[in-house]
Amino acid sequence: MKPEPLTLPPSPNWYCARCSDAAPGGIFGFAARTSVFLVRVGPSAGANPGAPPFRVVGELVGHTERVSGFTFSHHPGQYNLCATSSDDGTVKIWDVETKAVVTEHSFHQHTISALHWSPTVKDLIVSGDEKGVVFCYWLNRNDSQHFFPEPRTIFCLTCSPHHEDLVAIGYKDGIVVIIDISKKGEVIHRLRGHDDEIHSIAWCPLSGEDCLPVNQEENSEEPDIPNGKLVAETPITKGCYLATGSKDQTIRIWSCSRGRGIMVLKLPFLKRRGGGVDPAVKERLWLTLHWPNNQPTQLVSSCFGGELLLWDLTQSWRRKYTLFSTSAEGQNHSRIIFNLCPLKTEDDKQLLLSTSMDRDVKCWDMATLECCWTLPSLGGFAYSLAFSPVDVGCLAIGVGDGMIRVWNTLSIKNNYEVKSFWQGVKSKVTALCWHPNKEGCLAFGTDDGKVGLYDTCSNKPPQISSTYHKKTVYRLAWGPPVPPMSLGGEGDRPSLTLYSCGGEGIVLQHNPWKLSGEAFNINKLVRDTNSIRYKLPVHTEISWKGDGKVMALGNEDGSIEIFQVPNLKLLCTIQQHHKLVNAVVWHHEHGSRPELSCLIASGSNNAVIYVHNLRTVLESNPESPVTITEPFRTLSGHTAKVTSLAWSPHHDGRLVSACYDGTAQVWDALREEPLFNFRGHRGRLLCVAWSPVDPECIYSGADDFCVCRWLTSMQDHSRPPQGKKCIELEKKRLSQPKPKLKKKKKPTLRLPGKQDSSIVTEDESSRETSGPVENGVSDQDGEEEAQEPELPSPVVSGEAVSCIAVSLGVEKSKVTVNSKATSLKKEPPKEKPEALLKKRKARSMLPLSTSLDHRSKEELHRDCLVLATATHAKAELNEDVSADLEERFHLGLFTDRATLYRMMETEGKGHLESGHPELFHQLMLWKGDLKGVLQAAAERGELTDSLVAVAPVAGYSVWLWAVEAFAKQLCFQDQYVKAASYLLSIHKVYEAVELLKSNHFYREAIAVAKARLRPEDPVLKDLYLSWGSILEKDGHYAIAAKCYLGATSAYDAAKVLARKGDAASLRTAAELASIAGESELAASLALRCAQELLLVKNWVGAQEALGLHESLQGQRLVFCLLELLCRHLEEKQPPEVRSPSSVYHQWATGSEGDLMQRVTGVWRNTFSVDTPEQCRAALKKLQDVKYPSATSNTPFRQLLLHVCHDLTLAILSQQTASWEEAVPALLQAVLRSYTSGNFTLMQEIYSAFLPSGCDYLRDKLGDLSLTTAAFKSLEAFFIYGQLYEVWWSLCGPGPESSIWVKSTVPAEQREPEDSASAEDTEPVAAAAQPQSSPPSGPGLRLSGESERLLSACRKLFSERHANLQASQRTVAEVQETLAEMIRQHQKSQLCKATANGPSRDDPGQEAEQAPSRPQSPREESNAPVSLPELTRRLTEANKKIAEFPESIKAWPFPDVLECCLVLLHIGSQCPGAVNPEMQQQAEELLQKYGHTRAYRRYCQTLHMNFQRP
């Protein structure tokens, strides 16, 4: 069994009474999110010598929501069993050895809040939920019972260790009850004393009540009367103590015999070392307890700030306690503690494990009360990993819980030596980057756009840049300063500046010496230096080359731009990806091959990794930017977006990738070969980093809150899983409950939930849930759904609803909702005859005055008298009359104006109070105070269209003010279009346009701007560009293209159209670019369109696309040759296997003449390429296109395209009589077929383009010395292919006449030979099996053509090439041996580390590790070679290779020893056919140069065969 990878696990769950536990013998488990992590503690953990004895050994995976409870079975013989409860409503029983579910139940209808495995009954698991229901489940007999002792929320429960039927339950309101499950859950005691949540219950480890010296008169509380009756003391209730911890900051000790409290311990307020007391610490208190075994006079409890206290219960009156870890600073938890678990190890050590809000798991020695070790954990996604280049082995981890971890991965004393940094972060850490030279200088970027610098060697708070990104910081990179920061003297600027790329698409340059200063956007420098007139792409990635001379920017549209310092001159653009680029990394510069430092790997959302070789571009330094559309290598296999890449610092061309498919993949990028696949995460991978010291060690982080350290040689898989259902993660996500999008209604009765759980969600975990949520459901959604029952559909029912007592409240709620929903259902109103319709009377403007005129007769008479007195008074009114007039305000209608105004004021207030402001406004209008009306309406937000319409009466300025106020009011009411219309009425066009734009009414804003502004106004262009950017992000590419066209930016329009990537979009984009005069862009898009059509074999459409641009005439010739070659190959296949979907041209269906004649004929007749000048022009254009060399993993269609490109160059060179150029081009096509292992294609090239051999080319070349080496190589491969054909003709299952052999045996006796494809990939292996080839019969002989060929084989026996190839094989063999030695050393070290672990099984381990060994030929056991000897061999071989002339090394040559083997086999099958002199030469070459591992065994076999008499 292989060891588990070293894992930095997720944080233990918070606010759970029992979500961690330990089993005797050394296994500890804690619940983290939806799973349980298992930790082996003690000598059996297999830790390194000197390191703390613990190791994360596995994970229990099965729940779909948060695990709320975890408990082990503490019964001998079943320590491997444990139980978990979850918010998904299930209780599962597990076997920790197999990590599989034994059984499960889902009896609870509400959230489970407490769980315990009975310490006295070996198969009893007790659980309680938030509604107060308790379930007892007996595992062995699969039986259950449920009780409902109290209608309260259960917070914790604990089974008695002394009596199998007693269970103590703590509730949210502070009540503690003890029930007897044998008496149907009868309440034995109700213990009252706490006034807040019960967090923990601990039974005294010893039965009896003699262990504590409690004064019997100390507590004079009367015993409780359970259920209203005094209960006589029974043997069950005698002799045990119970301790409870509560949120009310007290610990109470209870006597079960007396049913009352005997001791109260008040938590002390301890002064925190290193800081003040958190003012909110009381609200976040969690008080957990542990009563040590065999120590009934001591009790362990948590405290306010993460301290642990050991209480001395023998001196209850003194309240004496001992603080844990008083000798060491910083060993205590820094936040509240949730769980305490005792553990007795194999060496009889008594340990105590604690989990805390500070996300640490700590182990305490109960003998010394000191901290033994700490297991750190992660409270969020692992977004970023970065190894320090100065302090080797320090790994920085950016986590979504707002903290940075720095892990010393090289620590010998502690595998988990982690420091946490949280000051000044306050958000998810999404990007990290160490300073290349300065020790401890770590740059970080956060989710809220913050960029800062931490000094990890000190405790100082970080420096924060004053310039924030508007969105998430994607990437950080250190690089040389560029203008304007690079201007000035050496001492005035830093040697390296910090670059940050944010989610809004810009890259900022920060001065690390002055972060308080403004950061510079490099887009301005890029635009000015390169005179760019189109819209710059949205940047998503930045990467500096190791030498600091070149910078790469990845973009949202999939392009990658390469810039050169100091002014960021654009060198080239890589148009390979068509989706957002997530990762761009340069190859390191310290490898054995310096040219590999120009390799750049990139990954995007389209799951394919591309590697480009920019050596030519960087060395040539082109004047104008180059566009690259062909990759150097393509790494395919992932099934989701690639999020991170890292080159191995120990290997050449080895790359690791992290992907959303849940795996990390190691690639040999040079051979396009997948090597190792890691599947240890349960989520989407977000980051990956290669260890700087261990060639096999890789670290990866994911959204499962884990960082894993794993070894490549320990992986069972070599490539990513294929298909949509590739990993268990996908199945798990599909099974997750989806958040309900419907608008939630408030039910009549709301179910209670845990108060503290909501505190966690809002306070501590709010940052995590704002980002990606696990399995599609955030914690808040899950809690809300659990608390709000789904409303049933409104169905009318008159039947009575009966319900049991447990669910009475919920059922009543449902009935109420049903009846309410039914009552709200109304039938549509019926039409009434017009005669029955009554006109509704208008509301009175003066309702108060009218009502006062309808009083009693006496009051009306009194009104008349008061009015008469007021109107006929010649002097001032006396006080009585004035008071009467104020009281009878309605008389103002009949007196003076002032009284009338008072009446109107009173009436207006009445209208406002009754909710009719429009009537109040009308009264104010009657009064003539129009300005006052408008001001009052504006203050109350009650302006209307009618009020604004009459505003001009009060004057022009009042009208302007009223319109602006009404527009603001409409904006508050989300009526932005109407508000803009009112602004337009007062000629505020710019304000109206800005209002519409800021609220995303782009269509309306553009309409207004075009109608009211000048065509050249920059506002209009800005509108088009802004709307286009938003549409582009939303995937509406066609409408976005219209916007860019409206902004006269045809380049951007074509680019955005091409982002779709399908053939139709690419063609439209190419046509658009051609119309706009963007010839280079049009050509690249037309070529992409043709390549897309090529994938579906639509040859006609591909040629039409290439015909859109004149510069693609050369590519049309390539595609023409490709079509004819595919047709030629298809004609040689049986009819039943031909592809019916191909759409060929008419000229491709003809079969007259050979392939060469057909190609030149079509070029001449269809493409008008006839004269040497036309051929020379096409040749010049095609020579600028460079394709990478092929590998055995190159797709066949891509191989054909590259081969046809080389063949087109060869034919065009022949047409222009440039034979010195034709030979290398033809040889390049042959080499592509050879290196890809496609022998059939190589032979077809020779038969089609050199049907009569190489003599024709030799005559044309004459004495040209420049191509002599290339021609010799071409001729050698020609002979090499025919040599194999001769041998295969002899090695068939039966003799058959052919061009190479003559036979008299009937052809029926021999079946067609179709095994060539299996042998052309490994000709050496095939040649080394003489015993498998039947000897030739008497009716089989070689033809004259074969004899001529065998005599020509002398040209293959080149001793110089044999010597060179032997040296190259020696180098490869030594490198492989060194790598194997390193691997074996790593395995031996690992085996030593895990020799005492639970997973030691040497035979099994060796059996599992055997497949991971690199494939190499089987060989006899040889004595081990020392390292100095290997170094000597490597030096000598490299020296030999350097002495060979470049003409020999430039052009590949067939393997000389392989040809010797094949020739000797032919000679053994046809004696006398091979010249003895040639046979002797072949044997000499094999004996001289066959000392390497690849040929040693074959040479020995042949030597024995030829030595036989």
Side-chain angles (χ1 to χ4, degrees), residues 1104-1127:
E1104 291 176 353
L1106 294 173
L1108 295 175
H1109 205 274
E1110 296 179 357
S1111 64
L1112 297 177
Q1113 179 70 14
Q1115 292 294 340
R1116 296 192 70 186
L1117 301 182
V1118 175
F1119 274 63
C1120 170
L1121 175 56
L1122 178 60
E1123 182 177 354
L1124 290 170
L1125 180 60
C1126 289
R1127 180 69 176 175

PDB file of all heavy atoms in Angstrom, residues 1104-1127:
ATOM      1  N   GLU A1104     -11.794  28.017 -50.315  1.00  0.00           N
ATOM      2  CA  GLU A1104     -12.522  29.281 -50.426  1.00  0.00           C
ATOM      3  C   GLU A1104     -12.061  30.269 -49.355  1.00  0.00           C
ATOM      4  O   GLU A1104     -11.940  31.471 -49.623  1.00  0.00           O
ATOM      5  CB  GLU A1104     -14.021  29.031 -50.296  1.00  0.00           C
ATOM      6  CG  GLU A1104     -14.625  28.286 -51.479  1.00  0.00           C
ATOM      7  CD  GLU A1104     -16.092  27.977 -51.263  1.00  0.00           C
ATOM      8  OE1 GLU A1104     -16.587  28.223 -50.140  1.00  0.00           O
ATOM      9  OE2 GLU A1104     -16.740  27.486 -52.211  1.00  0.00           O
ATOM     10  N   ALA A1105     -11.813  29.766 -48.161  1.00  0.00           N
ATOM     11  CA  ALA A1105     -11.341  30.655 -47.100  1.00  0.00           C
ATOM     12  C   ALA A1105      -9.955  31.197 -47.409  1.00  0.00           C
ATOM     13  O   ALA A1105      -9.672  32.394 -47.199  1.00  0.00           O
ATOM     14  CB  ALA A1105     -11.329  29.909 -45.767  1.00  0.00           C
ATOM     15  N   LEU A1106      -9.074  30.348 -47.915  1.00  0.00           N
ATOM     16  CA  LEU A1106      -7.734  30.819 -48.267  1.00  0.00           C
ATOM     17  C   LEU A1106      -7.765  31.786 -49.433  1.00  0.00           C
ATOM     18  O   LEU A1106      -6.896  32.666 -49.550  1.00  0.00           O
ATOM     19  CB  LEU A1106      -6.842  29.621 -48.614  1.00  0.00           C
ATOM     20  CG  LEU A1106      -6.524  28.659 -47.460  1.00  0.00           C
ATOM     21  CD1 LEU A1106      -5.776  27.437 -47.970  1.00  0.00           C
ATOM     22  CD2 LEU A1106      -5.702  29.359 -46.396  1.00  0.00           C
ATOM     23  N   GLY A1107      -8.753  31.651 -50.284  1.00  0.00           N
ATOM     24  CA  GLY A1107      -8.863  32.561 -51.418  1.00  0.00           C
ATOM     25  C   GLY A1107      -9.285  33.968 -51.048  1.00  0.00           C
ATOM     26  O   GLY A1107      -9.288  34.865 -51.903  1.00  0.00           O
ATOM     27  N   LEU A1108      -9.629  34.199 -49.772  1.00  0.00           N
ATOM     28  CA  LEU A1108     -10.034  35.540 -49.353  1.00  0.00           C
ATOM     29  C   LEU A1108      -8.863  36.508 -49.345  1.00  0.00           C
ATOM     30  O   LEU A1108      -9.079  37.726 -49.336  1.00  0.00           O
ATOM     31  CB  LEU A1108     -10.662  35.477 -47.946  1.00  0.00           C
ATOM     32  CG  LEU A1108     -11.967  34.691 -47.815  1.00  0.00           C
ATOM     33  CD1 LEU A1108     -12.383  34.611 -46.351  1.00  0.00           C
ATOM     34  CD2 LEU A1108     -13.066  35.362 -48.631  1.00  0.00           C
ATOM     35  N   HIS A1109      -7.641  36.010 -49.317  1.00  0.00           N
ATOM     36  CA  HIS A1109      -6.492  36.902 -49.218  1.00  0.00           C
ATOM     37  C   HIS A1109      -5.401  36.445 -50.183  1.00  0.00           C
ATOM     38  O   HIS A1109      -5.073  35.259 -50.252  1.00  0.00           O
ATOM     39  CB  HIS A1109      -5.954  36.920 -47.790  1.00  0.00           C
ATOM     40  CG  HIS A1109      -5.226  38.180 -47.458  1.00  0.00           C
ATOM     41  ND1 HIS A1109      -3.904  38.362 -47.721  1.00  0.00           N
ATOM     42  CD2 HIS A1109      -5.658  39.344 -46.890  1.00  0.00           C
ATOM     43  CE1 HIS A1109      -3.523  39.558 -47.334  1.00  0.00           C
ATOM     44  NE2 HIS A1109      -4.574  40.175 -46.815  1.00  0.00           N
ATOM     45  N   GLU A1110      -4.840  37.379 -50.911  1.00  0.00           N
ATOM     46  CA  GLU A1110      -3.852  37.047 -51.920  1.00  0.00           C
ATOM     47  C   GLU A1110      -2.565  36.493 -51.317  1.00  0.00           C
ATOM     48  O   GLU A1110      -1.883  35.688 -51.943  1.00  0.00           O
ATOM     49  CB  GLU A1110      -3.533  38.292 -52.759  1.00  0.00           C
ATOM     50  CG  GLU A1110      -4.715  38.811 -53.561  1.00  0.00           C
ATOM     51  CD  GLU A1110      -4.352  40.051 -54.350  1.00  0.00           C
ATOM     52  OE1 GLU A1110      -3.200  40.509 -54.200  1.00  0.00           O
ATOM     53  OE2 GLU A1110      -5.206  40.547 -55.096  1.00  0.00           O
ATOM     54  N   SER A1111      -2.219  36.946 -50.109  1.00  0.00           N
ATOM     55  CA  SER A1111      -0.962  36.506 -49.515  1.00  0.00           C
ATOM     56  C   SER A1111      -0.977  35.033 -49.137  1.00  0.00           C
ATOM     57  O   SER A1111       0.068  34.476 -48.783  1.00  0.00           O
ATOM     58  CB  SER A1111      -0.643  37.344 -48.277  1.00  0.00           C
ATOM     59  OG  SER A1111      -1.623  37.130 -47.271  1.00  0.00           O
ATOM     60  N   LEU A1112      -2.139  34.389 -49.190  1.00  0.00           N
ATOM     61  CA  LEU A1112      -2.242  32.980 -48.818  1.00  0.00           C
ATOM     62  C   LEU A1112      -2.167  32.061 -50.033  1.00  0.00           C
ATOM     63  O   LEU A1112      -2.587  30.905 -49.965  1.00  0.00           O
ATOM     64  CB  LEU A1112      -3.554  32.740 -48.063  1.00  0.00           C
ATOM     65  CG  LEU A1112      -3.692  33.476 -46.727  1.00  0.00           C
ATOM     66  CD1 LEU A1112      -5.062  33.216 -46.119  1.00  0.00           C
ATOM     67  CD2 LEU A1112      -2.602  33.050 -45.762  1.00  0.00           C
ATOM     68  N   GLN A1113      -1.638  32.586 -51.151  1.00  0.00           N
ATOM     69  CA  GLN A1113      -1.529  31.753 -52.341  1.00  0.00           C
ATOM     70  C   GLN A1113      -0.651  30.544 -52.074  1.00  0.00           C
ATOM     71  O   GLN A1113      -0.949  29.423 -52.509  1.00  0.00           O
ATOM     72  CB  GLN A1113      -0.948  32.587 -53.496  1.00  0.00           C
ATOM     73  CG  GLN A1113      -0.759  31.826 -54.803  1.00  0.00           C
ATOM     74  CD  GLN A1113      -2.087  31.475 -55.465  1.00  0.00           C
ATOM     75  OE1 GLN A1113      -3.128  32.014 -55.086  1.00  0.00           O
ATOM     76  NE2 GLN A1113      -2.060  30.588 -56.434  1.00  0.00           N
ATOM     77  N   GLY A1114       0.432  30.736 -51.331  1.00  0.00           N
ATOM     78  CA  GLY A1114       1.284  29.599 -51.006  1.00  0.00           C
ATOM     79  C   GLY A1114       0.566  28.562 -50.161  1.00  0.00           C
ATOM     80  O   GLY A1114       0.721  27.356 -50.369  1.00  0.00           O
ATOM     81  N   GLN A1115      -0.243  29.016 -49.193  1.00  0.00           N
ATOM     82  CA  GLN A1115      -1.003  28.079 -48.374  1.00  0.00           C
ATOM     83  C   GLN A1115      -2.036  27.331 -49.203  1.00  0.00           C
ATOM     84  O   GLN A1115      -2.347  26.172 -48.916  1.00  0.00           O
ATOM     85  CB  GLN A1115      -1.679  28.819 -47.228  1.00  0.00           C
ATOM     86  CG  GLN A1115      -0.723  29.378 -46.186  1.00  0.00           C
ATOM     87  CD  GLN A1115      -0.007  28.279 -45.417  1.00  0.00           C
ATOM     88  OE1 GLN A1115      -0.461  27.141 -45.383  1.00  0.00           O
ATOM     89  NE2 GLN A1115       1.123  28.628 -44.827  1.00  0.00           N
ATOM     90  N   ARG A1116      -2.567  27.971 -50.239  1.00  0.00           N
ATOM     91  CA  ARG A1116      -3.510  27.273 -51.111  1.00  0.00           C
ATOM     92  C   ARG A1116      -2.823  26.109 -51.812  1.00  0.00           C
ATOM     93  O   ARG A1116      -3.417  25.043 -52.008  1.00  0.00           O
ATOM     94  CB  ARG A1116      -4.098  28.243 -52.135  1.00  0.00           C
ATOM     95  CG  ARG A1116      -4.935  29.366 -51.546  1.00  0.00           C
ATOM     96  CD  ARG A1116      -5.708  30.112 -52.611  1.00  0.00           C
ATOM     97  NE  ARG A1116      -6.771  29.278 -53.163  1.00  0.00           N
ATOM     98  CZ  ARG A1116      -7.532  29.624 -54.190  1.00  0.00           C
ATOM     99  NH1 ARG A1116      -7.318  30.778 -54.803  1.00  0.00           N
ATOM    100  NH2 ARG A1116      -8.484  28.829 -54.630  1.00  0.00           N
ATOM    101  N   LEU A1117      -1.571  26.324 -52.190  1.00  0.00           N
ATOM    102  CA  LEU A1117      -0.828  25.235 -52.817  1.00  0.00           C
ATOM    103  C   LEU A1117      -0.591  24.095 -51.821  1.00  0.00           C
ATOM    104  O   LEU A1117      -0.680  22.920 -52.182  1.00  0.00           O
ATOM    105  CB  LEU A1117       0.507  25.762 -53.344  1.00  0.00           C
ATOM    106  CG  LEU A1117       0.436  26.902 -54.375  1.00  0.00           C
ATOM    107  CD1 LEU A1117       1.825  27.280 -54.833  1.00  0.00           C
ATOM    108  CD2 LEU A1117      -0.432  26.512 -55.571  1.00  0.00           C
ATOM    109  N   VAL A1118      -0.283  24.460 -50.550  1.00  0.00           N
ATOM    110  CA  VAL A1118      -0.082  23.434 -49.528  1.00  0.00           C
ATOM    111  C   VAL A1118      -1.359  22.638 -49.320  1.00  0.00           C
ATOM    112  O   VAL A1118      -1.341  21.394 -49.270  1.00  0.00           O
ATOM    113  CB  VAL A1118       0.378  24.091 -48.208  1.00  0.00           C
ATOM    114  CG1 VAL A1118       0.459  23.032 -47.104  1.00  0.00           C
ATOM    115  CG2 VAL A1118       1.724  24.766 -48.379  1.00  0.00           C
ATOM    116  N   PHE A1119      -2.482  23.322 -49.208  1.00  0.00           N
ATOM    117  CA  PHE A1119      -3.752  22.623 -48.988  1.00  0.00           C
ATOM    118  C   PHE A1119      -4.144  21.799 -50.211  1.00  0.00           C
ATOM    119  O   PHE A1119      -4.765  20.747 -50.079  1.00  0.00           O
ATOM    120  CB  PHE A1119      -4.846  23.647 -48.655  1.00  0.00           C
ATOM    121  CG  PHE A1119      -4.911  24.011 -47.207  1.00  0.00           C
ATOM    122  CD1 PHE A1119      -3.842  24.634 -46.578  1.00  0.00           C
ATOM    123  CD2 PHE A1119      -6.018  23.713 -46.444  1.00  0.00           C
ATOM    124  CE1 PHE A1119      -3.878  24.962 -45.243  1.00  0.00           C
ATOM    125  CE2 PHE A1119      -6.078  24.040 -45.099  1.00  0.00           C
ATOM    126  CZ  PHE A1119      -5.003  24.670 -44.495  1.00  0.00           C
ATOM    127  N   CYS A1120      -3.786  22.276 -51.392  1.00  0.00           N
ATOM    128  CA  CYS A1120      -4.050  21.486 -52.604  1.00  0.00           C
ATOM    129  C   CYS A1120      -3.259  20.186 -52.569  1.00  0.00           C
ATOM    130  O   CYS A1120      -3.808  19.105 -52.820  1.00  0.00           O
ATOM    131  CB  CYS A1120      -3.690  22.312 -53.833  1.00  0.00           C
ATOM    132  SG  CYS A1120      -3.699  21.383 -55.379  1.00  0.00           S
ATOM    133  N   LEU A1121      -1.983  20.287 -52.242  1.00  0.00           N
ATOM    134  CA  LEU A1121      -1.165  19.082 -52.144  1.00  0.00           C
ATOM    135  C   LEU A1121      -1.692  18.168 -51.048  1.00  0.00           C
ATOM    136  O   LEU A1121      -1.735  16.934 -51.206  1.00  0.00           O
ATOM    137  CB  LEU A1121       0.292  19.479 -51.876  1.00  0.00           C
ATOM    138  CG  LEU A1121       1.279  18.339 -51.618  1.00  0.00           C
ATOM    139  CD1 LEU A1121       1.284  17.337 -52.766  1.00  0.00           C
ATOM    140  CD2 LEU A1121       2.683  18.891 -51.381  1.00  0.00           C
ATOM    141  N   LEU A1122      -2.107  18.734 -49.927  1.00  0.00           N
ATOM    142  CA  LEU A1122      -2.640  17.933 -48.831  1.00  0.00           C
ATOM    143  C   LEU A1122      -3.907  17.191 -49.270  1.00  0.00           C
ATOM    144  O   LEU A1122      -4.096  16.010 -48.947  1.00  0.00           O
ATOM    145  CB  LEU A1122      -2.936  18.840 -47.631  1.00  0.00           C
ATOM    146  CG  LEU A1122      -3.546  18.169 -46.394  1.00  0.00           C
ATOM    147  CD1 LEU A1122      -2.621  17.096 -45.854  1.00  0.00           C
ATOM    148  CD2 LEU A1122      -3.809  19.209 -45.313  1.00  0.00           C
ATOM    149  N   GLU A1123      -4.769  17.871 -49.994  1.00  0.00           N
ATOM    150  CA  GLU A1123      -5.998  17.228 -50.458  1.00  0.00           C
ATOM    151  C   GLU A1123      -5.685  16.078 -51.408  1.00  0.00           C
ATOM    152  O   GLU A1123      -6.265  14.981 -51.310  1.00  0.00           O
ATOM    153  CB  GLU A1123      -6.888  18.267 -51.138  1.00  0.00           C
ATOM    154  CG  GLU A1123      -8.217  17.718 -51.624  1.00  0.00           C
ATOM    155  CD  GLU A1123      -9.108  18.793 -52.227  1.00  0.00           C
ATOM    156  OE1 GLU A1123      -8.725  19.986 -52.163  1.00  0.00           O
ATOM    157  OE2 GLU A1123     -10.178  18.434 -52.759  1.00  0.00           O
ATOM    158  N   LEU A1124      -4.761  16.315 -52.327  1.00  0.00           N
ATOM    159  CA  LEU A1124      -4.416  15.262 -53.279  1.00  0.00           C
ATOM    160  C   LEU A1124      -3.731  14.085 -52.577  1.00  0.00           C
ATOM    161  O   LEU A1124      -3.978  12.921 -52.912  1.00  0.00           O
ATOM    162  CB  LEU A1124      -3.498  15.834 -54.360  1.00  0.00           C
ATOM    163  CG  LEU A1124      -4.165  16.820 -55.336  1.00  0.00           C
ATOM    164  CD1 LEU A1124      -3.117  17.494 -56.204  1.00  0.00           C
ATOM    165  CD2 LEU A1124      -5.186  16.103 -56.207  1.00  0.00           C
ATOM    166  N   LEU A1125      -2.888  14.382 -51.584  1.00  0.00           N
ATOM    167  CA  LEU A1125      -2.213  13.308 -50.858  1.00  0.00           C
ATOM    168  C   LEU A1125      -3.222  12.492 -50.046  1.00  0.00           C
ATOM    169  O   LEU A1125      -3.142  11.254 -50.015  1.00  0.00           O
ATOM    170  CB  LEU A1125      -1.131  13.896 -49.954  1.00  0.00           C
ATOM    171  CG  LEU A1125      -0.326  12.887 -49.120  1.00  0.00           C
ATOM    172  CD1 LEU A1125       0.400  11.893 -50.031  1.00  0.00           C
ATOM    173  CD2 LEU A1125       0.680  13.602 -48.222  1.00  0.00           C
ATOM    174  N   CYS A1126      -4.163  13.168 -49.379  1.00  0.00           N
ATOM    175  CA  CYS A1126      -5.180  12.429 -48.620  1.00  0.00           C
ATOM    176  C   CYS A1126      -6.040  11.578 -49.543  1.00  0.00           C
ATOM    177  O   CYS A1126      -6.403  10.445 -49.205  1.00  0.00           O
ATOM    178  CB  CYS A1126      -6.051  13.417 -47.831  1.00  0.00           C
ATOM    179  SG  CYS A1126      -5.221  14.198 -46.445  1.00  0.00           S
ATOM    180  N   ARG A1127      -6.363  12.134 -50.699  1.00  0.00           N
ATOM    181  CA  ARG A1127      -7.136  11.356 -51.676  1.00  0.00           C
ATOM    182  C   ARG A1127      -6.335  10.156 -52.164  1.00  0.00           C
ATOM    183  O   ARG A1127      -6.866   9.047 -52.302  1.00  0.00           O
ATOM    184  CB  ARG A1127      -7.509  12.257 -52.856  1.00  0.00           C
ATOM    185  CG  ARG A1127      -8.310  11.587 -53.942  1.00  0.00           C
ATOM    186  CD  ARG A1127      -9.694  11.252 -53.472  1.00  0.00           C
ATOM    187  NE  ARG A1127     -10.495  10.692 -54.543  1.00  0.00           N
ATOM    188  CZ  ARG A1127     -11.717  10.225 -54.401  1.00  0.00           C
ATOM    189  NH1 ARG A1127     -12.287  10.251 -53.204  1.00  0.00           N
ATOM    190  NH2 ARG A1127     -12.393   9.740 -55.419  1.00  0.00           N
TER     191      ARG A1127
END
